[in-house]
Structure formats: structure tokens, C-alpha cells
mmCIF file of all heavy atoms in Angstrom:
data_model
loop_
_atom_site.group_PDB
_atom_site.id
_atom_site.type_symbol
_atom_site.label_atom_id
_atom_site.label_comp_id
_atom_site.label_asym_id
_atom_site.label_seq_id
_atom_site.Cartn_x
_atom_site.Cartn_y
_atom_site.Cartn_z
ATOM 1 N N PHE A 1 34.672 17.689 68.599
ATOM 2 C CA PHE A 1 35.065 18.189 69.917
ATOM 3 C C PHE A 1 33.807 18.453 70.743
ATOM 4 O O PHE A 1 32.947 19.247 70.348
ATOM 5 C CB PHE A 1 35.927 19.439 69.771
ATOM 6 C CG PHE A 1 37.244 19.142 69.105
ATOM 7 C CD1 PHE A 1 37.380 19.305 67.739
ATOM 8 C CD2 PHE A 1 38.321 18.666 69.840
ATOM 9 C CE1 PHE A 1 38.587 19.018 67.104
ATOM 10 C CE2 PHE A 1 39.521 18.367 69.213
ATOM 11 C CZ PHE A 1 39.650 18.539 67.858
ATOM 12 N N VAL A 2 33.704 17.737 71.865
ATOM 13 C CA VAL A 2 32.486 17.763 72.686
ATOM 14 C C VAL A 2 32.859 18.038 74.137
ATOM 15 O O VAL A 2 34.040 17.993 74.516
ATOM 16 C CB VAL A 2 31.740 16.421 72.573
ATOM 17 C CG1 VAL A 2 31.348 16.137 71.128
ATOM 18 C CG2 VAL A 2 32.583 15.276 73.125
ATOM 19 N N ASN A 3 31.836 18.303 74.973
ATOM 20 C CA ASN A 3 32.135 18.574 76.379
ATOM 21 C C ASN A 3 32.540 17.302 77.125
ATOM 22 O O ASN A 3 33.417 17.320 77.981
ATOM 23 C CB ASN A 3 30.940 19.252 77.062
ATOM 24 C CG ASN A 3 29.661 18.418 76.966
ATOM 25 O OD1 ASN A 3 29.561 17.493 76.177
ATOM 26 N ND2 ASN A 3 28.671 18.783 77.776
ATOM 27 N N ASP A 4 31.908 16.172 76.788
ATOM 28 C CA ASP A 4 32.260 14.910 77.440
ATOM 29 C C ASP A 4 31.854 13.770 76.507
ATOM 30 O O ASP A 4 30.654 13.524 76.303
ATOM 31 C CB ASP A 4 31.543 14.775 78.789
ATOM 32 C CG ASP A 4 31.996 13.547 79.577
ATOM 33 O OD1 ASP A 4 32.759 12.725 79.021
ATOM 34 O OD2 ASP A 4 31.595 13.409 80.746
ATOM 35 N N ALA A 5 32.825 13.094 75.953
ATOM 36 C CA ALA A 5 32.552 12.036 74.975
ATOM 37 C C ALA A 5 31.703 10.916 75.560
ATOM 38 O O ALA A 5 30.948 10.252 74.842
ATOM 39 C CB ALA A 5 33.874 11.470 74.444
ATOM 40 N N LYS A 6 31.779 10.717 76.882
ATOM 41 C CA LYS A 6 31.035 9.625 77.515
ATOM 42 C C LYS A 6 29.524 9.864 77.496
ATOM 43 O O LYS A 6 28.737 8.945 77.726
ATOM 44 C CB LYS A 6 31.505 9.440 78.953
ATOM 45 C CG LYS A 6 32.948 8.951 79.052
ATOM 46 C CD LYS A 6 33.375 8.827 80.510
ATOM 47 C CE LYS A 6 34.838 8.378 80.605
ATOM 48 N NZ LYS A 6 35.281 8.294 82.025
ATOM 49 N N ARG A 7 29.106 11.093 77.264
ATOM 50 C CA ARG A 7 27.680 11.417 77.255
ATOM 51 C C ARG A 7 27.002 11.078 75.919
ATOM 52 O O ARG A 7 25.793 11.233 75.777
ATOM 53 C CB ARG A 7 27.475 12.896 77.578
ATOM 54 C CG ARG A 7 27.910 13.262 78.979
ATOM 55 C CD ARG A 7 27.705 14.735 79.258
ATOM 56 N NE ARG A 7 28.326 15.107 80.544
ATOM 57 C CZ ARG A 7 28.452 16.352 80.966
ATOM 58 N NH1 ARG A 7 28.013 17.355 80.209
ATOM 59 N NH2 ARG A 7 29.034 16.615 82.127
ATOM 60 N N PHE A 8 27.807 10.626 74.951
ATOM 61 C CA PHE A 8 27.252 10.317 73.634
ATOM 62 C C PHE A 8 27.239 8.796 73.452
ATOM 63 O O PHE A 8 28.296 8.169 73.268
ATOM 64 C CB PHE A 8 28.080 10.989 72.532
ATOM 65 C CG PHE A 8 28.015 12.487 72.580
ATOM 66 C CD1 PHE A 8 28.868 13.205 73.418
ATOM 67 C CD2 PHE A 8 27.081 13.175 71.823
ATOM 68 C CE1 PHE A 8 28.803 14.590 73.480
ATOM 69 C CE2 PHE A 8 27.015 14.558 71.874
ATOM 70 C CZ PHE A 8 27.868 15.271 72.701
ATOM 71 N N ASN A 9 26.033 8.208 73.544
ATOM 72 C CA ASN A 9 25.932 6.756 73.428
ATOM 73 C C ASN A 9 26.057 6.312 71.973
ATOM 74 O O ASN A 9 26.103 7.131 71.042
ATOM 75 C CB ASN A 9 24.618 6.259 74.041
ATOM 76 C CG ASN A 9 23.401 6.938 73.414
ATOM 77 O OD1 ASN A 9 23.375 7.238 72.224
ATOM 78 N ND2 ASN A 9 22.369 7.180 74.234
ATOM 79 N N GLU A 10 26.082 4.988 71.762
ATOM 80 C CA GLU A 10 26.285 4.435 70.419
ATOM 81 C C GLU A 10 25.162 4.837 69.475
ATOM 82 O O GLU A 10 25.405 5.082 68.288
ATOM 83 C CB GLU A 10 26.401 2.908 70.485
ATOM 84 C CG GLU A 10 27.751 2.405 70.958
ATOM 85 C CD GLU A 10 28.888 2.914 70.084
ATOM 86 O OE1 GLU A 10 28.774 2.812 68.842
ATOM 87 O OE2 GLU A 10 29.878 3.432 70.628
ATOM 88 N N ASN A 11 23.940 4.881 69.963
ATOM 89 C CA ASN A 11 22.818 5.247 69.098
ATOM 90 C C ASN A 11 22.992 6.652 68.530
ATOM 91 O O ASN A 11 22.760 6.897 67.340
ATOM 92 C CB ASN A 11 21.496 5.168 69.873
ATOM 93 C CG ASN A 11 21.054 3.735 70.098
ATOM 94 O OD1 ASN A 11 21.470 2.841 69.369
ATOM 95 N ND2 ASN A 11 20.206 3.524 71.099
ATOM 96 N N TYR A 12 23.417 7.592 69.388
ATOM 97 C CA TYR A 12 23.578 8.966 68.915
ATOM 98 C C TYR A 12 24.793 9.077 67.977
ATOM 99 O O TYR A 12 24.751 9.815 66.990
ATOM 100 C CB TYR A 12 23.737 9.948 70.078
ATOM 101 C CG TYR A 12 23.503 11.383 69.649
ATOM 102 C CD1 TYR A 12 22.214 11.875 69.533
ATOM 103 C CD2 TYR A 12 24.564 12.213 69.311
ATOM 104 C CE1 TYR A 12 21.975 13.184 69.112
ATOM 105 C CE2 TYR A 12 24.344 13.514 68.882
ATOM 106 C CZ TYR A 12 23.047 13.994 68.778
ATOM 107 O OH TYR A 12 22.817 15.280 68.335
ATOM 108 N N ARG A 13 25.822 8.320 68.265
ATOM 109 C CA ARG A 13 27.006 8.348 67.391
ATOM 110 C C ARG A 13 26.657 7.817 66.002
ATOM 111 O O ARG A 13 27.106 8.356 64.984
ATOM 112 C CB ARG A 13 28.139 7.533 68.021
ATOM 113 C CG ARG A 13 28.673 8.172 69.296
ATOM 114 C CD ARG A 13 29.870 7.429 69.852
ATOM 115 N NE ARG A 13 30.321 8.039 71.115
ATOM 116 C CZ ARG A 13 31.540 7.929 71.589
ATOM 117 N NH1 ARG A 13 32.455 7.216 70.957
ATOM 118 N NH2 ARG A 13 31.872 8.516 72.730
ATOM 119 N N ARG A 14 25.848 6.748 65.968
ATOM 120 C CA ARG A 14 25.428 6.212 64.670
ATOM 121 C C ARG A 14 24.520 7.213 63.947
ATOM 122 O O ARG A 14 24.578 7.339 62.714
ATOM 123 C CB ARG A 14 24.708 4.876 64.857
ATOM 124 C CG ARG A 14 25.655 3.711 65.131
ATOM 125 C CD ARG A 14 24.952 2.376 64.927
ATOM 126 N NE ARG A 14 23.921 2.163 65.927
ATOM 127 C CZ ARG A 14 24.116 1.538 67.081
ATOM 128 N NH1 ARG A 14 25.321 1.058 67.379
ATOM 129 N NH2 ARG A 14 23.123 1.373 67.942
ATOM 130 N N TYR A 15 23.685 7.911 64.725
ATOM 131 C CA TYR A 15 22.823 8.933 64.123
ATOM 132 C C TYR A 15 23.655 10.022 63.447
ATOM 133 O O TYR A 15 23.368 10.421 62.312
ATOM 134 C CB TYR A 15 21.925 9.550 65.205
ATOM 135 C CG TYR A 15 21.306 10.874 64.818
ATOM 136 C CD1 TYR A 15 20.269 10.925 63.888
ATOM 137 C CD2 TYR A 15 21.777 12.074 65.366
ATOM 138 C CE1 TYR A 15 19.706 12.146 63.523
ATOM 139 C CE2 TYR A 15 21.221 13.292 65.006
ATOM 140 C CZ TYR A 15 20.187 13.316 64.073
ATOM 141 O OH TYR A 15 19.638 14.527 63.700
ATOM 142 N N VAL A 16 24.694 10.509 64.119
ATOM 143 C CA VAL A 16 25.550 11.555 63.544
ATOM 144 C C VAL A 16 26.242 11.035 62.282
ATOM 145 O O VAL A 16 26.328 11.745 61.270
ATOM 146 C CB VAL A 16 26.577 12.053 64.583
ATOM 147 C CG1 VAL A 16 27.592 12.982 63.928
ATOM 148 C CG2 VAL A 16 25.866 12.758 65.733
ATOM 149 N N GLU A 17 26.714 9.791 62.323
ATOM 150 C CA GLU A 17 27.364 9.223 61.131
ATOM 151 C C GLU A 17 26.385 9.152 59.970
ATOM 152 O O GLU A 17 26.740 9.459 58.820
ATOM 153 C CB GLU A 17 27.925 7.829 61.437
ATOM 154 C CG GLU A 17 28.632 7.210 60.227
ATOM 155 C CD GLU A 17 29.254 5.859 60.525
ATOM 156 O OE1 GLU A 17 29.457 5.541 61.718
ATOM 157 O OE2 GLU A 17 29.532 5.116 59.567
ATOM 158 N N ARG A 18 25.137 8.729 60.244
ATOM 159 C CA ARG A 18 24.130 8.666 59.179
ATOM 160 C C ARG A 18 23.887 10.048 58.570
ATOM 161 O O ARG A 18 23.707 10.180 57.349
ATOM 162 C CB ARG A 18 22.814 8.096 59.724
ATOM 163 C CG ARG A 18 22.822 6.600 59.931
ATOM 164 C CD ARG A 18 21.386 6.059 60.065
ATOM 165 N NE ARG A 18 20.646 6.702 61.146
ATOM 166 C CZ ARG A 18 20.664 6.300 62.407
ATOM 167 N NH1 ARG A 18 21.384 5.224 62.749
ATOM 168 N NH2 ARG A 18 19.961 6.920 63.340
ATOM 169 N N GLN A 19 23.891 11.083 59.413
ATOM 170 C CA GLN A 19 23.698 12.449 58.906
ATOM 171 C C GLN A 19 24.817 12.862 57.961
ATOM 172 O O GLN A 19 24.567 13.466 56.912
ATOM 173 C CB GLN A 19 23.602 13.437 60.075
ATOM 174 C CG GLN A 19 22.360 13.271 60.935
ATOM 175 C CD GLN A 19 21.087 13.411 60.133
ATOM 176 O OE1 GLN A 19 20.856 14.419 59.458
ATOM 177 N NE2 GLN A 19 20.246 12.379 60.166
ATOM 178 N N PHE A 20 26.048 12.499 58.315
ATOM 179 C CA PHE A 20 27.181 12.806 57.420
ATOM 180 C C PHE A 20 27.024 12.076 56.090
ATOM 181 O O PHE A 20 27.271 12.651 55.021
ATOM 182 C CB PHE A 20 28.510 12.423 58.085
ATOM 183 C CG PHE A 20 29.028 13.452 59.048
ATOM 184 C CD1 PHE A 20 29.264 13.135 60.373
ATOM 185 C CD2 PHE A 20 29.291 14.750 58.622
ATOM 186 C CE1 PHE A 20 29.742 14.080 61.269
ATOM 187 C CE2 PHE A 20 29.767 15.707 59.500
ATOM 188 C CZ PHE A 20 29.993 15.372 60.832
ATOM 189 N N ARG A 21 26.607 10.815 56.146
ATOM 190 C CA ARG A 21 26.456 10.039 54.904
ATOM 191 C C ARG A 21 25.310 10.582 54.052
ATOM 192 O O ARG A 21 25.437 10.689 52.821
ATOM 193 C CB ARG A 21 26.226 8.571 55.224
ATOM 194 C CG ARG A 21 27.469 7.876 55.736
ATOM 195 C CD ARG A 21 27.392 6.374 55.559
ATOM 196 N NE ARG A 21 28.652 5.768 55.960
ATOM 197 C CZ ARG A 21 29.724 5.695 55.197
ATOM 198 N NH1 ARG A 21 29.688 6.192 53.964
ATOM 199 N NH2 ARG A 21 30.831 5.132 55.627
ATOM 200 N N GLN A 22 24.202 10.918 54.686
ATOM 201 C CA GLN A 22 23.055 11.401 53.923
ATOM 202 C C GLN A 22 23.337 12.739 53.253
ATOM 203 O O GLN A 22 22.890 12.988 52.134
ATOM 204 C CB GLN A 22 21.836 11.534 54.850
ATOM 205 C CG GLN A 22 21.251 10.194 55.289
ATOM 206 C CD GLN A 22 20.175 10.352 56.344
ATOM 207 O OE1 GLN A 22 19.736 11.462 56.660
ATOM 208 N NE2 GLN A 22 19.742 9.229 56.925
ATOM 209 N N GLN A 23 24.093 13.594 53.924
ATOM 210 C CA GLN A 23 24.314 14.934 53.391
ATOM 211 C C GLN A 23 25.620 15.085 52.611
ATOM 212 O O GLN A 23 25.719 15.974 51.765
ATOM 213 C CB GLN A 23 24.266 15.956 54.536
ATOM 214 C CG GLN A 23 22.911 15.979 55.244
ATOM 215 C CD GLN A 23 22.739 17.200 56.122
ATOM 216 O OE1 GLN A 23 23.085 18.308 55.731
ATOM 217 N NE2 GLN A 23 22.194 16.997 57.335
ATOM 218 N N LEU A 24 26.603 14.224 52.904
ATOM 219 C CA LEU A 24 27.907 14.378 52.249
ATOM 220 C C LEU A 24 28.272 13.203 51.349
ATOM 221 O O LEU A 24 29.237 13.278 50.607
ATOM 222 C CB LEU A 24 29.000 14.572 53.310
ATOM 223 C CG LEU A 24 28.836 15.790 54.226
ATOM 224 C CD1 LEU A 24 29.973 15.847 55.232
ATOM 225 C CD2 LEU A 24 28.778 17.071 53.413
ATOM 226 N N GLY A 25 27.532 12.101 51.461
ATOM 227 C CA GLY A 25 27.806 10.968 50.573
ATOM 228 C C GLY A 25 28.792 9.983 51.152
ATOM 229 O O GLY A 25 28.454 9.176 51.998
ATOM 230 N N PHE A 26 30.045 10.006 50.663
ATOM 231 C CA PHE A 26 31.083 9.040 51.044
ATOM 232 C C PHE A 26 30.683 7.620 50.652
ATOM 233 O O PHE A 26 30.966 6.657 51.369
ATOM 234 C CB PHE A 26 31.386 9.097 52.550
ATOM 235 C CG PHE A 26 32.012 10.381 52.995
ATOM 236 C CD1 PHE A 26 31.334 11.246 53.835
ATOM 237 C CD2 PHE A 26 33.286 10.733 52.559
ATOM 238 C CE1 PHE A 26 31.920 12.431 54.252
ATOM 239 C CE2 PHE A 26 33.876 11.926 52.971
ATOM 240 C CZ PHE A 26 33.186 12.774 53.815
ATOM 241 N N LYS A 27 30.011 7.467 49.493
ATOM 242 C CA LYS A 27 29.582 6.158 49.034
ATOM 243 C C LYS A 27 30.790 5.267 48.755
ATOM 244 O O LYS A 27 31.729 5.663 48.077
ATOM 245 C CB LYS A 27 28.756 6.305 47.750
ATOM 246 C CG LYS A 27 28.088 5.032 47.275
ATOM 247 C CD LYS A 27 27.016 4.561 48.228
ATOM 248 C CE LYS A 27 26.236 3.386 47.664
ATOM 249 N NZ LYS A 27 25.280 2.823 48.632
ATOM 250 N N GLY A 28 30.755 4.071 49.299
ATOM 251 C CA GLY A 28 31.823 3.100 49.060
ATOM 252 C C GLY A 28 32.976 3.180 50.027
ATOM 253 O O GLY A 28 33.891 2.370 49.970
ATOM 254 N N SER A 29 32.966 4.178 50.918
ATOM 255 C CA SER A 29 34.079 4.353 51.863
ATOM 256 C C SER A 29 33.563 4.403 53.294
ATOM 257 O O SER A 29 32.529 5.011 53.564
ATOM 258 C CB SER A 29 34.830 5.649 51.552
ATOM 259 O OG SER A 29 35.811 5.908 52.554
ATOM 260 N N PRO A 30 34.291 3.788 54.229
ATOM 261 C CA PRO A 30 33.945 3.990 55.636
ATOM 262 C C PRO A 30 34.328 5.401 56.051
ATOM 263 O O PRO A 30 35.166 6.044 55.407
ATOM 264 C CB PRO A 30 34.800 2.954 56.369
ATOM 265 C CG PRO A 30 35.997 2.786 55.484
ATOM 266 C CD PRO A 30 35.504 2.957 54.074
ATOM 267 N N ILE A 31 33.697 5.906 57.093
ATOM 268 C CA ILE A 31 34.148 7.160 57.690
ATOM 269 C C ILE A 31 34.350 6.911 59.183
ATOM 270 O O ILE A 31 33.678 6.063 59.775
ATOM 271 C CB ILE A 31 33.167 8.324 57.452
ATOM 272 C CG1 ILE A 31 31.793 8.019 58.052
ATOM 273 C CG2 ILE A 31 33.054 8.655 55.985
ATOM 274 C CD1 ILE A 31 30.817 9.184 57.943
ATOM 275 N N ARG A 32 35.290 7.624 59.759
ATOM 276 C CA ARG A 32 35.583 7.479 61.179
ATOM 277 C C ARG A 32 35.290 8.784 61.905
ATOM 278 O O ARG A 32 35.694 9.853 61.438
ATOM 279 C CB ARG A 32 37.048 7.074 61.385
ATOM 280 C CG ARG A 32 37.333 5.635 60.979
ATOM 281 C CD ARG A 32 38.793 5.280 61.132
ATOM 282 N NE ARG A 32 39.021 3.874 60.843
ATOM 283 C CZ ARG A 32 40.218 3.326 60.667
ATOM 284 N NH1 ARG A 32 41.304 4.086 60.757
ATOM 285 N NH2 ARG A 32 40.336 2.039 60.411
ATOM 286 N N LEU A 33 34.603 8.663 63.027
ATOM 287 C CA LEU A 33 34.332 9.816 63.867
ATOM 288 C C LEU A 33 35.116 9.682 65.162
ATOM 289 O O LEU A 33 35.016 8.657 65.854
ATOM 290 C CB LEU A 33 32.831 9.919 64.171
ATOM 291 C CG LEU A 33 31.890 10.030 62.966
ATOM 292 C CD1 LEU A 33 30.449 10.193 63.433
ATOM 293 C CD2 LEU A 33 32.289 11.193 62.064
ATOM 294 N N LEU A 34 35.912 10.682 65.469
ATOM 295 C CA LEU A 34 36.694 10.694 66.704
ATOM 296 C C LEU A 34 36.038 11.669 67.677
ATOM 297 O O LEU A 34 35.976 12.873 67.410
ATOM 298 C CB LEU A 34 38.145 11.129 66.409
ATOM 299 C CG LEU A 34 38.884 10.352 65.319
ATOM 300 C CD1 LEU A 34 40.272 10.944 65.108
ATOM 301 C CD2 LEU A 34 38.973 8.875 65.663
ATOM 302 N N TRP A 35 35.532 11.158 68.771
ATOM 303 C CA TRP A 35 34.843 11.990 69.766
ATOM 304 C C TRP A 35 35.846 12.432 70.821
ATOM 305 O O TRP A 35 36.369 11.629 71.571
ATOM 306 C CB TRP A 35 33.688 11.211 70.387
ATOM 307 C CG TRP A 35 32.642 10.847 69.368
ATOM 308 C CD1 TRP A 35 32.700 9.841 68.449
ATOM 309 C CD2 TRP A 35 31.401 11.520 69.156
ATOM 310 N NE1 TRP A 35 31.571 9.838 67.671
ATOM 311 C CE2 TRP A 35 30.745 10.854 68.086
ATOM 312 C CE3 TRP A 35 30.770 12.603 69.769
ATOM 313 C CZ2 TRP A 35 29.493 11.251 67.613
ATOM 314 C CZ3 TRP A 35 29.515 12.997 69.299
ATOM 315 C CH2 TRP A 35 28.887 12.328 68.231
ATOM 316 N N ARG A 36 36.119 13.732 70.873
ATOM 317 C CA ARG A 36 37.168 14.278 71.737
ATOM 318 C C ARG A 36 36.564 15.185 72.818
ATOM 319 O O ARG A 36 35.868 16.158 72.503
ATOM 320 C CB ARG A 36 38.180 15.076 70.904
ATOM 321 C CG ARG A 36 38.897 14.262 69.842
ATOM 322 C CD ARG A 36 39.857 13.299 70.485
ATOM 323 N NE ARG A 36 40.669 12.602 69.517
ATOM 324 C CZ ARG A 36 40.700 11.286 69.381
ATOM 325 N NH1 ARG A 36 39.928 10.514 70.147
ATOM 326 N NH2 ARG A 36 41.486 10.711 68.489
ATOM 327 N N SER A 37 36.833 14.864 74.051
ATOM 328 C CA SER A 37 36.342 15.686 75.171
ATOM 329 C C SER A 37 37.205 16.937 75.312
ATOM 330 O O SER A 37 38.432 16.851 75.339
ATOM 331 C CB SER A 37 36.389 14.892 76.480
ATOM 332 O OG SER A 37 35.584 13.733 76.388
ATOM 333 N N LYS A 38 36.547 18.099 75.374
ATOM 334 C CA LYS A 38 37.258 19.361 75.560
ATOM 335 C C LYS A 38 36.441 20.278 76.448
ATOM 336 O O LYS A 38 35.205 20.333 76.332
ATOM 337 C CB LYS A 38 37.508 20.060 74.209
ATOM 338 C CG LYS A 38 38.747 19.562 73.498
ATOM 339 C CD LYS A 38 40.011 19.983 74.213
ATOM 340 C CE LYS A 38 41.239 19.446 73.496
ATOM 341 N NZ LYS A 38 42.477 19.802 74.232
ATOM 342 N N LYS A 39 37.104 21.006 77.317
ATOM 343 C CA LYS A 39 36.392 21.960 78.173
ATOM 344 C C LYS A 39 35.995 23.194 77.371
ATOM 345 O O LYS A 39 36.656 23.566 76.411
ATOM 346 C CB LYS A 39 37.276 22.371 79.351
ATOM 347 C CG LYS A 39 37.593 21.207 80.293
ATOM 348 C CD LYS A 39 38.497 21.660 81.425
ATOM 349 C CE LYS A 39 38.815 20.495 82.361
ATOM 350 N NZ LYS A 39 39.715 20.894 83.465
ATOM 351 N N VAL A 40 34.933 23.860 77.831
ATOM 352 C CA VAL A 40 34.421 25.030 77.114
ATOM 353 C C VAL A 40 35.475 26.111 76.978
ATOM 354 O O VAL A 40 35.640 26.730 75.932
ATOM 355 C CB VAL A 40 33.178 25.593 77.834
ATOM 356 C CG1 VAL A 40 32.681 26.847 77.114
ATOM 357 C CG2 VAL A 40 32.075 24.556 77.875
ATOM 358 N N ARG A 41 36.239 26.348 78.041
ATOM 359 C CA ARG A 41 37.222 27.444 77.984
ATOM 360 C C ARG A 41 38.319 27.169 76.954
ATOM 361 O O ARG A 41 38.895 28.106 76.406
ATOM 362 C CB ARG A 41 37.837 27.693 79.365
ATOM 363 C CG ARG A 41 38.622 26.547 79.961
ATOM 364 C CD ARG A 41 39.306 26.983 81.256
ATOM 365 N NE ARG A 41 39.999 25.882 81.901
ATOM 366 C CZ ARG A 41 39.467 25.080 82.791
ATOM 367 N NH1 ARG A 41 38.178 25.238 83.145
ATOM 368 N NH2 ARG A 41 40.158 24.105 83.343
#
């Protein structure tokens, strides 16, 4: 859940996915990240 999903380019999205893989594993399985725009309030 983010302020505006459009502000996160492909490079940053791939970076976040790599962080999940490096720290949580998920070897042998794809993972999906859903970027959802939500207002602060």
C-alpha cells in the first residue's frame, strides 16, 4: 500500500522484489507484488 503506485518505476519494483527474495527466500517459486495506491488518511 503506497501513496501513488505510478511513482514506483520498474527498477524500484524489481529492487523491492529482490529484497524479499534475499531475505525471505521463496526459492523455486515466483512472487507477485501488488502495488496499491492509498491516501494517507
Side-chain angles (χ1 to χ4, degrees):
F1 294 94
V2 300
N3 57 344
D4 186 353
K6 294 178 182 178
R7 295 179 189 171
F8 295 85
N9 56 35
E10 282 303 312
N11 285 338
Y12 197 81
R13 293 185 183 204
R14 283 196 293 268
Y15 162 73
V16 172
E17 181 177 342
R18 284 197 303 273
Q19 293 302 304
F20 278 122
R21 288 201 175 278
Q22 289 172 8
Q23 299 194 43
L24 300 179
F26 294 114
K27 188 67 173 174
S29 173
I31 60 175
R32 288 177 175 168
L33 302 183
L34 307 177
W35 297 78
R36 299 290 186 239
S37 300
K38 276 291 179 183
K39 295 179 180 179
V40 178
R41 62 174 176 270

